[in-house]
Amino acid sequence: MLAIRTILVVAALCASVSLLHAEVRILASPGGEVGPFIELFDKVRASGERVVIDGPCLSACTLVLSMVPNDRICVTRRAVLGFHAARSIDRRGRLYAEPEASEAVLEAYPPPVRGWIIRRGGLTSRLLLLRGRELAAIYPRCR
């Protein structure tokens, strides 16, 4: 829980500092609980800011792709997007699959991203990494 709070504080600080430059820069996000990412990306979408993906954006972080317009997202050479099936943790700390949530998330991704995921077997427990030329074919390089 402390790690998630730390990540969110860092993300919030980066977002507020970036207001001066009218961009949000994602340097490294391992993901985490979906709710805080939805809140953050909802604010980014409403602000009109550009999102620069400049490092790993994994798991819940990839929700940025479905919440911020594609023309306001760019990637650097360091960008890596990581996708997996939705999952939750029960009261005993055990992970379990959330197939309906996985389907909803997959449908929310832009068509080129959704197609890339489907061609690799869909959202499963295995982490799929989109980077390099394949990523640059979907999102423009940042200028």
Side-chain angles (χ1 to χ4, degrees):
M1 193 59 136
L2 180 59
I4 292 170
R5 284 190 201 136
T6 303
I7 291 166
L8 294 176
V9 168
V10 170
L13 288 173
C14 288
S16 62
V17 169
S18 295
L19 288 175
L20 300 173
H21 303 290
E23 70 182 29
V24 173
R25 186 171 293 267
I26 299 172
L27 298 174
S29 175
E33 292 182 38
V34 169
F37 281 92
I38 290 173
E39 288 177 27
L40 175 63
F41 296 141
D42 190 43
K43 290 177 185 173
V44 171
R45 180 184 60 233
S47 74
E49 294 174 294
R50 177 174 85 147
V51 175
V52 176
I53 302 174
D54 191 19
C57 175
L58 310 178
S59 191
C61 177
T62 64
L63 293 173
V64 68
L65 306 177
S66 58
M67 297 189 68
V68 175
N70 286 354
D71 63 347
R72 290 186 14 223
I73 297 173
C74 67
V75 298
T76 70
R77 295 187 188 280
R78 291 181 294 273
V80 179
L81 301 175
F83 306 91
H84 63 78
R87 54 190 181 218
S88 292
I89 300 175
D90 68 15
R91 292 181 183 175
R92 294 183 177 169
R94 294 177 297 197
L95 286 175
Y96 62 94
E98 292 276 6
E100 295 85 10
S102 294
E103 185 61 32
V105 168
L106 183 61
E107 287 302 314
Y109 286 133
V113 174
R114 185 170 52 246
W116 182 90
I117 292 169
I118 290 169
R119 288 191 300 277
R120 277 145 192 85
L123 294 174
T124 66
S125 60
R126 184 175 57 102
L127 185 66
L128 298 174
L129 298 175
L130 175 56
R131 58 183 156 199
R133 288 186 193 135
E134 290 180 303
L135 179 55
I138 298 173
Y139 288 97
R141 293 279 186 199
C142 302
R143 306 228 180 265

